[in-house]
Amino acid sequence: MTCAEAQAFADAFKPLVAHLPVGREVVLAPPFTAIATLSAALTGTGIRVSAQNVHWDGSGAYTGMISAAMLLEHGVTHAIVGHSEPRKYFSETDEQINLRARAAQKAGLIPILCVGESDSQREGGEAERVIQRQVEQGIDGLDPARLIVAYEPIWAIGTGKTCEAAEANRICGLIRKWVGYPEVVIQYGGSVNPGNIDQLMAQSDIDGVLVGGASLQPETFARIANYQVPVAA
């Protein structure tokens, strides 16, 4: 979104989530250019702001990159690292993603570490091996108490394919085991929408959701934030 679009989104979204249940947290992740606008628009609401990425070094010759200090200056509290798109389009490695997560934590940000397999990896029976590698390399040197891990099966992102809630929960349970810290916050991301949010949030090992396209409309995202559990059998 542009700054103007982000401002309009915030104005429409805030009243729709003004009465969320206690303990429910909403974090918005705009592009870098809209962070300052959105952060100011959300002042006093309790809604937090995340960056869509963060560089692993505090300073240096990294033209076009954004450091943690730059984000903190605008009230950012979280940073997404290892999202499937940078992994795919910019060939980000597990080592680079780990460095980003470490830099985020060191600066006081909460990294949202994304992991997930492609369609071919799942069809080839490689899903668990791939995800375990991403988790173990991604969390190296991190404090799991200040970490969010987001399972986003690449084959279920914007494809129309959906990961069944029970299968998403199974993978999230494995991630919890691989992290080795039962209280780690684990999200699911992959075609999350108002039609499946209640069922997803009724699962035992899914603590939250990482929302893509369905977050772009205030009413749609507000319905997700206002999920209701348990669902009827």
Side-chain angles (χ1 to χ4, degrees):
M1 293 185 178
T2 64
C3 291
E5 290 168 339
Q7 180 69 55
F9 179 95
D11 291 343
F13 184 67
K14 287 187 290 186
L16 300 177
V17 292
H19 303 290
L20 293 178
V22 174
R24 192 167 299 187
E25 186 175 23
V26 176
V27 183
L28 299 179
F32 289 128
T33 51
I35 284 176
T37 297
L38 191 63
S39 183
L42 297 175
T43 299
T45 66
I47 302 171
R48 299 187 180 186
V49 176
S50 172
Q52 294 181 3
N53 211 335
V54 61
H55 194 64
W56 56 76
D57 218 339
S59 62
Y62 303 107
T63 300
M65 300 297 103
I66 303 294
S67 70
M70 296 174 181
L71 301 175
L72 290 168
E73 189 175 33
H74 295 289
V76 172
T77 56
H78 296 65
I80 298 172
V81 298
H83 191 275
S84 61
E85 290 158 2
R87 285 183 187 266
K88 176 181 178 181
Y89 296 119
F90 306 119
S91 302
E92 285 205 349
T93 66
D94 291 323
E95 180 183 11
Q96 290 173 329
I97 291 161
N98 176 250
L99 289 174
R100 294 183 190 278
R102 287 192 187 200
Q105 272 200 352
K106 183 178 180 180
L109 299 171
I110 297 174
I112 302 172
L113 171 67
C114 298
V115 299
E117 80 283 12
S118 67
D119 198 12
S120 61
Q121 288 167 336
R122 172 162 282 266
E123 291 298 322
E126 294 291 300
E128 291 183 20
R129 182 188 65 81
V130 168
I131 298 166
Q132 184 174 6
R133 185 204 74 223
Q134 292 174 343
V135 169
E136 291 179 349
Q137 294 188 20
I139 67 171
D140 184 44
L142 297 182
D143 177 1
R146 298 188 297 116
L147 170 70
I148 296 171
V149 180
Y151 169 52
E152 49 162 14
I154 300 171
W155 51 271
I157 300 174
T159 62
K161 298 180 180 179
T162 57
C163 183
E164 295 295 330
E167 173 62 6
N169 189 62
R170 184 183 75 85
I171 295 294
C172 288
L174 289 174
I175 291 171
R176 196 177 302 279
K177 180 181 73 172
W178 293 328
V179 171
Y181 180 71
E183 288 76 31
V184 66
V185 175
I186 301 179
Q187 298 179 324
Y188 168 74
S191 297
V192 176
N193 59 65
N196 61 24
I197 182 61
D198 294 341
Q199 186 177 20
L200 286 169
M201 292 308 302
Q203 304 302 308
S204 60
D205 278 300
I206 298 178
D207 302 314
V209 286
L210 184 70
V211 187
S215 70
L216 298 178
Q217 297 300 322
E219 296 78 11
T220 303
F221 192 40
R223 170 61 183 89
I224 292 171
N226 283 285
Y227 70 83
Q228 301 176 13
V229 291
V231 294

